[in-house]
Amino acid sequence: MTNTYLLSGEHFTPYRLPPPGKLERNAYPFLLMDTRDDALRLGGISSELWGLIAYLHNAAL
């Protein structure tokens, strides 16, 4: 089910992994993480990942 979303030209141009250490929009879903005070924290959710979550949620309804 996720392949339908990830391979959609409407959401990604095309779905791919960019070079290591580089974040790109419309390329792949990702999370931004931060480490502070010896704790791993969520720094952010990409719009691509949020779109995938919403797509799966709507498909389950």
Side-chain angles (χ1 to χ4, degrees):
M1 184 180 276
T2 58
N3 282 343
T4 303
Y5 181 80
L6 294 174
L7 297 176
S8 166
E10 179 182 337
H11 300 102
F12 298 100
T13 55
Y15 173 74
R16 70 201 178 286
L17 291 177
K22 184 174 181 184
L23 301 176
E24 288 185 26
R25 287 286 183 201
N26 299 322
Y28 69 106
F30 60 88
L31 290 174
L32 297 174
M33 304 301 290
D34 184 26
T35 54
R36 264 190 241 164
D37 304 322
D38 297 322
L40 184 63
R41 299 170 189 232
L42 177 62
I45 298 175
S46 71
S47 62
E48 294 80 10
L49 181 57
W50 189 252
L52 176 59
I53 292 168
Y55 174 80
L56 293 174
H57 172 76
N58 292 334
L61 296 178

